[in-house]
């Protein structure tokens, strides 16, 4: 079913379900498919051309030709006209017309996992990832307008939650 602004609009958008060509839509909990103004819906399918922008008012699908890359994430910005699409080691920023606005270099090696999130305000997003298996996790902030890297920080969990292991040496570990 397709819901728009809380209303079931499935009957009005019969062609919408043809986008997936029978293979179905992909859905991950971190996807943010609705644009800021709720006029566009970003859909990821299992097809050869996996990314589609569906314009609600026009009832029109615009396939985005980023193939054959695996799409990790599709997230609309909460405060501007930008869709962040992340692939295996990089991403792109796209506007509602489907035009690429920027290439985003994540700075990671093939095989590493990255997590992307938009900030609620400030027109920026961040990528949390390790560059390589033996490197520290980094937190990188990017401009949502042009994808420019703004800041990079090493992220050590010990800095976030200090842990004094010596306080817990005597704690029995075998009784759980």
């Amino acid at each position: 079913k397709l819901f728009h602004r809380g209303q079931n609009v499935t009957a009005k958008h019969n062609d919408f379900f043809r986008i997936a060509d029978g293979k179905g839509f992909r859905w991950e909990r971190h996807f943010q498919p609705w644009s800021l103004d709720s006029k566009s819906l970003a859909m990821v399918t299992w097809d050869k051309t996996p990314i589609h922008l569906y314009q609600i008012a026009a009832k029109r699908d615009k396939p985005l030709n980023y193939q054959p890359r695996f799409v990790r994430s599709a997230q609309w910005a909460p405060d501007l006209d930008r869709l962040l699409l992340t692939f295996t080691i990089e991403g792109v920023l796209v506007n509602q017309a489907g035009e690429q606005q920027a290439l985003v270099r994540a700075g990671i090696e093939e095989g590493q996992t990255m997590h992307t999130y938009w900030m609620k305000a400030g027109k920026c997003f961040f990528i949390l990832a390790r560059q390589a298996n033996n490197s520290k996790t980094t937190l990188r902030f990017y401009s949502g307008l042009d994808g420019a890297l703004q800041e990079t920080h090493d992220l050590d969990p010990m800095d976030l939650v200090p842990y004094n292991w010596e306080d817990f040496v005597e704690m029995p570990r075998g009784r759980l």
Side-chain angles (χ1 to χ4, degrees):
K1 294 182 179 182
L2 177 62
F3 286 84
H4 184 243
R5 296 187 174 147
Q7 301 293 315
N8 184 346
V9 296
T10 306
K12 297 177 185 176
H13 297 272
N14 293 327
D15 291 336
F16 173 75
F17 295 97
R18 292 188 187 133
I19 293 171
D21 197 24
K23 295 181 183 176
F25 295 108
R26 276 192 45 226
W27 180 255
E28 307 287 339
R29 70 173 184 257
H30 58 274
F31 282 11
Q32 296 169 344
W34 286 103
S35 63
L36 171 66
D37 59 7
S38 296
K39 292 181 180 179
S40 294
L41 181 62
M43 298 304 299
V44 179
T45 70
W46 292 104
D47 296 331
K48 185 177 174 185
T49 304
I51 307 160
H52 297 262
L53 287 183
Y54 185 74
Q55 282 114 15
I56 298 297
K59 299 179 184 176
R60 187 175 60 237
D61 169 42
K62 179 173 177 96
L64 302 183
N65 195 19
Y66 292 106
Q67 56 188 8
R69 300 178 189 175
F70 179 76
V71 181
R72 288 190 180 272
S73 175
Q75 300 171 332
W76 281 102
D79 58 354
L80 64 126
D81 175 25
R82 290 293 184 272
L83 172 64
L84 173 62
L85 301 168
T86 54
F87 307 113
T88 307
I89 60 170
E90 62 187 12
V92 293
L93 286 171
V94 179
N95 65 15
Q96 278 197 48
E99 300 160 339
Q100 183 172 319
Q101 302 299 300
L103 177 66
V104 178
R105 303 218 183 265
I108 64 171
E109 291 179 358
E110 189 82 30
Q112 297 301 316
T113 300
M114 70 173 136
H115 304 278
T116 56
Y117 303 94
W118 282 95
M119 303 294 287
K120 294 291 181 199
K123 297 178 178 32
C124 69
F125 62 93
F126 64 87
I127 295 177
L128 181 66
R130 288 178 22 190
Q131 292 177 319
N133 283 338
N134 58 354
S135 66
K136 286 188 173 185
T137 300
T138 58
L139 183 62
R140 295 171 176 231
F141 291 87
Y142 295 84
S143 165
L145 295 172
D146 61 10
L149 179 64
Q150 295 176 327
E151 292 182 37
T152 300
H153 301 278
D154 285 338
L155 187 64
D156 186 345
M158 294 299 287
D159 294 337
L160 298 176
V161 182
Y163 175 74
N164 185 357
W165 64 271
E166 294 163 338
D167 293 344
F168 301 95
V169 168
E170 298 299 319
M171 180 177 272
R173 305 285 177 177
R175 297 183 298 154
L176 293 177

